[in-house]
Amino acid sequence: MAEKPTIAVSHLGCEKNRIDSEHMLGLLAEAGYRVDSSEELADYVVVNTCSFIQAAREESVKTLVELAEADKKIVITGCMAQHFQEELLEEIPEAVAVVGSADYHKIVDVIQRVEKGDRVSEVSSQPEYIADETVPRYRTTTEGVAYVRVAEGCDYRCAFCIIPHLRGNQRSRSIESIVTEVQQLAQQGVQEIILISQITTNYGVDLYGKPKLAELLIALGQVDIPWIRIHYAYPTGLTSEVIAAIRDTPNVIPYLDLPLQHSHPEILKAMNRPWQGRVNDAIMERIKQELPTAVFRTTFIVGFPGETESHFQHLTEFVKRHQFDHVGVFTFSAEEGTAAYDMGDRIEPEVMDYRRNILMEIQQPIAAAKNQACIGKTVDVLIEQENPRTGEFIGRSARFAPEVDGMIYVRGNNASLGSIVPVKITGADIYDLYGEVAPIAAYSTV
């Protein structure tokens, strides 16, 4: 019997995409394929692409071109395959298959067909699939962390966003399915679960007829997992029931990633945001009062068509007023297929860059002050990396989410990868903290 080919997966894009990559790896390994982390040694390279904005597409294309020049057999999967399947097959002769954003579960069949000499296009016109806890998965994140998708797709039609076109409408998994998967991950030693979907506060609407995030969090409170984090929380979906579930469920971290995008009602309305400009100070103050220990992260888009200097000043004052722990700022990217693509009143790129820089300059001293306030406290830290040369560990407290927030650099011997240890914070800069392993005693979480 001929030996099965070796396959490597090149992952690009968001953590939702990462879950798809991990399921493909799991399915391939279960089917007996050799999975290798080296693209150079692999017979096939599966490139799981991103097509969210132009910069992401450019990164995907660069990866594809480099692999093609190395004469690799390429299987293109993910959002870019969903977006440009015909063009990809035409432009990249080395591509032996394209697989859509909701067709990744067919990867074994695709490889088998390719092995028989077929050139495969497996792209559903309307994405509908979502994997559950029964689908094999090979995790690629650090051993202490796992992302769990609670829903796929999006029912909203924000003017700048192409996700519904690439991922379809929202489809939620059942509470039972999610709890079962989290229990499985707990048995594997996972310390932190990050619940993700496009609109996590809308979880369950399509399945149960109303949002069920509060019920899901309460159910997950029964699982032996130290940290459960939510990405992403739309402010208007933070009902009193959801806030109570966050507050009263001990392993749910009061960390709120609020994808606000802007503060001015006119821009929010032009963006066709779900709340049509109703994100105001009253909503923010209510959340702060009901969750006084919450950590707040948000993202903003500057340079949306029609954004005046007055609109931008409104945003800068909003950032100063609310003192977010973490802020990300993006410049507007016009995406074909979205409502904003044909809008007039475009902002010049240099103006967008200037506004982005101004907003980050406002945020930096705020972030630095938040970090300085941690000095002297002892906090739980999830250890994720070790520097074998210095013996220093690197991890995060509950205040930092992976990839997007800061890190904590830890000195001391009583720590191991994937464990949570108490660390006394001794130093801080704008984004990161520094500390040493502390004796196990009473400590606070930051």
Side-chain angles (χ1 to χ4, degrees):
M1 186 176 178
E3 196 173 55
K4 290 188 174 182
T6 301
I7 302 173
V9 174
S10 175
H11 165 79
L12 303 168
C14 67
E15 299 308 333
K16 293 184 283 293
N17 222 29
R18 181 183 294 279
I19 292 174
D20 300 347
S21 295
E22 292 179 349
H23 281 306
M24 284 191 284
L25 284 166
L27 287 162
L28 289 164
E30 183 186 63
Y33 289 92
R34 292 174 296 156
V35 175
D36 199 305
S37 59
S38 170
E39 296 168 10
E40 188 177 337
L41 298 176
D43 299 304
Y44 293 91
V45 180
V46 177
V47 183
N48 198 8
T49 59
C50 179
S51 194
F52 182 48
I53 58 175
Q54 180 64 28
R57 285 196 295 277
E58 289 172 358
E59 181 187 11
S60 295
V61 169
K62 180 174 179 287
T63 300
L64 294 170
V65 168
E66 288 173 353
L67 290 167
E69 289 175 347
D71 202 26
K72 284 294 175 185
K73 297 174 184 174
I74 308 167
V75 177
I76 307 173
T77 68
C79 288
M80 199 166 177
Q82 187 73 34
H83 203 176
F84 302 109
Q85 65 259 40
E86 293 176 7
E87 294 93 327
L88 289 168
L89 285 174
E90 185 178 325
E91 297 292 332
I92 304 177
E94 294 80 2
V96 295
V98 292
V99 179
S101 62
D103 299 281
Y104 55 89
H105 59 298
K106 304 171 187 173
I107 190 65
V108 172
D109 177 67
V110 167
I111 297 294
Q112 289 171 346
R113 289 161 61 188
V114 167
E115 282 285 280
K116 292 175 183 176
D118 295 343
R119 199 171 189 223
V120 179
S121 179
E122 188 66 71
V123 181
S124 299
S125 58
Q126 182 60 46
E128 293 180 349
Y129 179 75
I130 180 171
D132 62 19
E133 77 284 2
T134 66
V135 181
R137 182 176 174 187
Y138 183 93
R139 288 195 298 113
T140 59
T141 51
T142 58
E143 58 190 86
V145 178
Y147 291 85
V148 172
R149 179 162 40 210
V150 300
E152 176 64 282
C154 184
D155 290 337
Y156 292 150
R157 296 296 183 266
C158 298
F160 55 82
C161 184
I162 200 168
I163 290 295
H165 175 65
L166 301 178
R167 293 276 179 174
N169 290 328
Q170 178 173 298
R171 46 208 188 272
S172 301
R173 295 169 57 188
S174 69
I175 291 175
E176 293 77 14
S177 171
I178 296 164
V179 170
T180 299
E181 183 177 7
V182 173
Q183 288 170 335
Q184 293 168 352
L185 292 165
Q187 290 165 7
Q188 296 170 22
V190 169
Q191 302 288 314
E192 177 179 12
I193 295 292
I194 301 176
L195 304 178
I196 58 171
S197 70
Q198 204 62 34
I199 311 169
T200 305
T201 37
N202 266 13
Y203 163 73
V205 169
D206 55 303
L207 191 62
Y208 299 107
K210 61 180 181 179
K212 285 282 188 175
L213 180 58
E215 289 84 347
L216 174 63
L217 294 176
I218 291 167
L220 291 174
Q222 303 303 310
V223 183
D224 187 18
I225 286 277
W227 293 353
I228 294 175
R229 189 185 303 271
I230 306 164
H231 284 180
Y232 302 90
Y234 278 59
T236 49
L238 288 168
T239 62
S240 56
E241 291 82 7
V242 171
I243 288 176
I246 294 171
R247 185 184 61 234
D248 300 336
T249 309
N251 58 351
V252 175
I253 298 170
Y255 175 102
L256 298 177
D257 192 328
L258 311 170
L260 298 178
Q261 311 306 1
H262 213 279
S263 64
H264 199 287
E266 290 175 3
I267 297 298
L268 287 166
K269 191 167 185 178
M271 287 178 168
N272 199 32
R273 296 298 276 162
W275 42 81
Q276 291 289 301
R278 289 184 289 112
V279 173
N280 53 32
D281 294 321
I283 287 177
M284 291 300 303
E285 292 303 331
R286 175 181 66 83
I287 296 169
K288 288 178 182 178
Q289 287 171 9
E290 294 186 31
L291 279 177
T293 63
V295 174
F296 290 92
R297 156 171 274 283
T298 192
T299 50
F300 297 112
I301 295 173
V302 295
F304 190 81
E307 183 189 57
T308 64
E309 186 61 31
S310 175
H311 293 143
F312 177 66
Q313 289 303 319
H314 187 279
L315 180 57
T316 62
E317 293 304 317
F318 187 81
V319 171
K320 291 175 185 176
R321 190 160 56 249
H322 289 294
Q323 301 280 300
F324 296 95
D325 294 81
H326 313 288
V327 171
V329 185
F330 299 90
T331 54
F332 170 73
S333 176
E335 299 302 318
E336 193 171 357
T338 65
Y341 185 75
D342 296 319
M343 286 184 178
D345 296 327
R346 289 282 183 89
I347 310 300
E348 292 296 322
E350 56 269 25
V351 175
M352 291 197 285
D353 290 340
Y354 172 77
R355 289 177 180 175
R356 178 191 181 278
N357 293 339
I358 289 294
L359 215 54
M360 291 310 299
E361 286 173 8
I362 291 170
Q363 174 60 25
Q364 283 176 349
I366 296 171
K370 298 270 187 180
N371 275 358
Q372 286 290 328
C374 297
I375 294 176
K377 294 181 179 178
T378 300
V379 303
D380 280 346
V381 173
L382 172 58
I383 302 297
E384 297 184 296
Q385 301 174 50
E386 181 181 4
N387 185 329
R389 185 175 58 82
T390 64
E392 185 179 58
F393 294 96
I394 304 174
R396 294 176 295 105
S397 70
R399 191 167 160 263
F400 296 141
E403 307 293 337
V404 292
D405 298 333
M407 306 294 292
I408 302 181
Y409 295 84
V410 181
R411 299 184 305 275
N413 299 318
N414 301 324
S416 59
L417 292 177
S419 66
I420 294 177
V421 298
V423 172
K424 183 174 183 179
I425 303 302
T426 57
D429 58 28
I430 293 175
Y431 297 114
D432 299 318
L433 297 173
Y434 304 84
E436 54 193 30
V437 177
I440 296 177
Y443 44 79
S444 59
T445 300
V446 298

